[in-house]
Amino acid sequence: MRELLLATCPVLLWVIVAIHVVFMVVLFTGYKKSKNMLYLLSGLITFGLFYDALILALGGVMTDGALLEGLSRVRFVSHGALIPLIFAICAYALNLKNVALKVVWAFTGILVVLGIAEGFAVELVLKDAANIIRYASGDGTPAWAEAVSGVLSYGTVIPLMIVGIIVWVKQKTPTLFLSGFLMFLFSALGPATGNFDIIFYISMYGEVLMVLFFYLYAKFNELHK
């Protein structure tokens, strides 16, 4: 299985890029038609995932290391800026209003600022795995930046699953829960199978499924308002 993943990675990364483009078009179109914030927030997160996948895919063909490093820096910054929007999705899924919604947005804003700061603070080190050259976080990354990265990676998905369960019970749809659960599952598959060097690739399948179920939930929410 590992050999298959390594062999297909350079090509399938471009497939994932294309899938994210399709999702962005669908989600932003959904927002334009309905003005439902779930479409907009999901579209912005998808844009971040698209850019992430694009830069990783370029790592299979690009020879200009300096340019790749610069693009990778932007990749970390955009990830830090957009992933916290998952908390806003949770707030709108729970139909929070007034003060409660403002509190969640304030918390999200703080995480966005910390995420952007983390993106600039991370030490970029060159790594080569699955025929992909990429810049990843190095040992010189400050401890606070590592902590913020951990919050963005796991501190968003777990609340998403919890809110997804609440939504499942109250609104009778598992879609939001599945978006978080499948993201968590694919993020854990790399460490669980000993494929630490290609976690970045395996988790991207979880990201595609997360966005798919974001869309399905946004559509459900639009139809049942």
Side-chain angles (χ1 to χ4, degrees):
M1 184 62 181
R2 175 179 169 82
E3 289 71 22
L4 179 62
L5 288 171
L6 294 176
T8 58
C9 180
V11 173
L12 290 184
L13 278 177
W14 287 107
V15 174
I16 291 172
V17 169
I19 291 172
H20 282 315
V21 170
V22 172
F23 277 134
M24 280 193 295
V25 171
V26 171
L27 288 165
F28 287 133
T29 300
Y31 175 69
K32 184 178 180 180
K33 290 180 178 178
S34 69
K35 301 306 178 184
N36 187 317
M37 283 295 291
L38 289 168
Y39 283 118
L40 177 60
L41 293 168
S42 299
L44 290 172
I45 291 171
T46 304
F47 172 76
L49 298 175
F50 153 76
Y51 183 78
D52 185 73
L54 176 63
I55 301 309
L56 290 173
L58 286 173
V61 296
M62 187 176 288
T63 58
D64 188 332
L67 177 58
L68 182 60
E69 182 177 4
L71 294 173
S72 298
R73 176 67 68 188
V74 177
R75 178 169 72 87
F76 276 89
V77 172
S78 66
H79 181 272
L82 296 174
I83 293 302
L85 295 179
I86 288 176
F87 284 104
I89 286 179
C90 291
Y92 284 99
L94 292 173
N95 295 314
L96 298 185
K97 306 290 184 183
N98 304 321
V99 175
L101 183 59
K102 290 178 181 177
V103 168
V104 174
W105 267 115
F107 177 72
T108 300
I110 292 171
L111 278 182
V112 168
V113 171
L114 289 173
I116 292 173
E118 177 262 336
F120 282 111
V122 66
E123 179 194 42
L124 297 181
V125 295
L126 198 61
K127 294 190 176 182
D128 187 350
N131 297 312
I132 296 294
I133 296 175
R134 66 189 179 95
Y135 279 90
S137 176
D139 293 337
T141 299
W144 68 265
E146 291 284 6
V148 171
S149 178
V151 169
L152 295 180
S153 296
Y154 299 102
T156 52
V157 175
I158 293 175
L160 179 61
M161 288 192 292
I162 294 172
V163 171
I165 291 173
I166 297 172
V167 167
W168 193 349
V169 172
K170 290 187 174 182
Q171 302 176 22
K172 311 304 179 186
T173 175
T175 46
L176 194 63
F177 168 76
L178 288 172
S179 67
F181 174 73
L182 291 170
M183 182 68 248
F184 181 83
L185 177 64
F186 277 86
S187 295
L189 274 179
T193 58
N195 291 298
F196 292 94
D197 57 330
I198 54 173
I199 291 174
F200 75 94
Y201 174 51
I202 297 174
S203 64
M204 292 178 79
Y205 289 98
E207 292 169 356
V208 168
L209 292 171
M210 180 178 72
V211 172
L212 168 63
F213 283 100
F214 274 162
Y215 165 71
L216 292 176
Y217 178 68
K219 191 68 177 178
F220 173 89
N221 184 271
E222 176 191 357
L223 295 175
H224 291 82
K225 268 194 170 183

